[in-house]
Amino acid sequence: GLPTDQNSSFLRGPAKAPGFIRWALACDSGNDWSEGVVNVGKVLRKGDLGDLVLNDTGEDRQEDSVRITTALARLTANNARPLCFGGDHSVTFPIIRALAPKYPGLHILHFDAHPDMYDKLLGNELSHASPFARILEMGLVERLIQVGIRTMNGHQRKQNQKFGNVTVVSMQDWPPPSGTFDFPASAPVYVSVDLDALDPAFAPGVSHHEPGGLSTRELLGVLQTMRVPGGVVGADVVELNPDRDVDGVSAMVAGKIVKELAELMLRWPRGAPAKL
């Protein structure tokens, strides 16, 4: 868990999310199994390292960013593949900064209502609206695919054009062509899921309500059918804001996505046949 929301631009609250996602995963209303009939709950509990201790005061954002990178680099050095619970979307940059040296040619599949490509927002270069600008300007990934986008503006479009290695699947163009989520055999893939990729009807517990998004089933459908022969090397679920949730609905959606991500990571390991 990465309990931080000091880089959020509108509302705080996502720092509380890791505990709510764990609650959803353990809730007696469900069970431990993914839709592919894999007991992912057992794997998730065994691998749960708790929450990383972060300051989250807003006074030294760089310190927490480095702390995340250091912790994730230690995990990847031991060949662990992280599945992180945010927190706001700013956590993805320090995670990728840790993973990129181990996985050259890394691809990111990014679900979001927003491109998160601002050079800076409100003067903050580590804003949750800027992680992919930092990732791309540092050359940490070979390709970024953004799915669910419906808030593109002129500045972020120029950013995408500047970097060049960005594919945007906007909601206006949904559904995408067949094969969009078939990755090259040599490409390791990281998956980042911002819950506001979903329409607020499905996940109201987010800071930024943006109508016209994906359904839960559409997002799960991508996870369940994407082809990643190069392996899924990590993932995150971010931007759950429990303060805005309704009866735990969004936390349960986040838990559902975590279970399907866990199955995805088991189905597409790095450099070894799947063991399901």
Side-chain angles (χ1 to χ4, degrees):
L2 301 174
T4 178
D5 55 19
Q6 64 186 334
N7 292 302
S8 294
S9 60
F10 177 54
L11 296 174
R12 299 195 71 161
K16 304 172 185 176
F20 283 83
I21 296 175
R22 291 189 182 92
W23 165 82
L25 289 168
C27 183
D28 287 341
S29 70
N31 61 42
D32 285 345
W33 297 72
S34 65
E35 291 190 357
V37 198
V38 178
N39 189 343
V40 295
K42 177 173 63 176
V43 177
L44 289 167
R45 283 192 297 275
K46 182 178 179 180
D48 190 351
L49 299 177
D51 291 349
L52 184 65
V53 176
L54 300 171
N55 294 322
D56 200 42
T57 62
E59 296 178 0
D60 193 348
R61 296 180 170 95
Q62 287 287 356
E63 180 181 342
D64 277 354
S65 181
V66 170
R67 190 172 296 184
I68 293 170
T69 297
T70 301
L72 269 293
R74 189 177 302 120
L75 288 176
T76 57
N78 291 318
N79 295 318
R81 293 181 293 154
L83 175 47
C84 300
F85 306 164
D88 66 33
H89 219 154
S90 66
V91 302
T92 302
F93 165 52
I95 294 170
I96 297 298
R97 186 168 55 186
L99 269 62
K102 185 175 180 66
Y103 300 111
L106 184 63
H107 287 47
I108 298 178
L109 177 60
H110 165 214
F111 295 90
D112 207 321
H114 313 90
D116 289 355
M117 198 69 76
Y118 282 99
D119 181 51
K120 294 180 183 178
L121 188 66
L122 303 177
N124 180 10
E125 65 180 10
L126 295 178
S127 170
H128 70 157
S130 301
F132 297 99
R134 301 289 81 78
I135 288 166
L136 292 177
E137 73 185 11
M138 290 183 66
L140 298 178
V141 299
E142 184 171 313
R143 187 183 180 208
L144 170 65
I145 301 178
Q146 301 186 306
V147 182
I149 304 301
R150 53 195 188 277
T151 60
M152 184 68 73
N153 61 18
H155 169 69
Q156 293 184 96
R157 183 170 58 189
K158 288 179 180 177
Q159 288 280 89
N160 283 4
Q161 292 168 345
K162 178 179 74 173
F163 294 120
N165 55 344
V166 184
T167 299
V168 176
V169 181
S170 72
M171 287 311 301
Q172 194 173 32
D173 298 324
W174 187 265
S178 176
T180 298
F181 306 115
D182 293 347
F183 290 87
S186 60
V189 174
Y190 183 91
V191 182
S192 181
V193 180
D194 185 324
L195 279 188
D196 70 25
L198 299 173
D199 191 275
F202 300 96
V206 296
S207 297
H208 299 262
H209 292 157
E210 189 62 43
L214 295 164
S215 70
T216 307
R217 178 50 54 194
E218 286 170 328
L219 193 154
L220 296 179
V222 175
L223 299 182
Q224 292 166 351
T225 60
M226 61 190 285
R227 296 186 55 79
V228 197
V232 180
V233 298
D236 63 55
V237 177
V238 298
E239 295 288 356
L240 170 65
N241 188 337
D243 293 343
R244 303 198 88 187
D245 205 358
V246 179
D247 294 332
V249 168
S250 308
M252 293 299 289
V253 170
K256 177 79 168 181
I257 293 170
V258 165
K259 289 197 292 185
E260 296 306 311
L261 283 169
E263 183 190 329
L264 177 71
M265 294 174 73
L266 291 171
R267 191 186 326 130
W268 297 107
R270 177 72 172 165
K275 297 179 181 180
L276 294 180

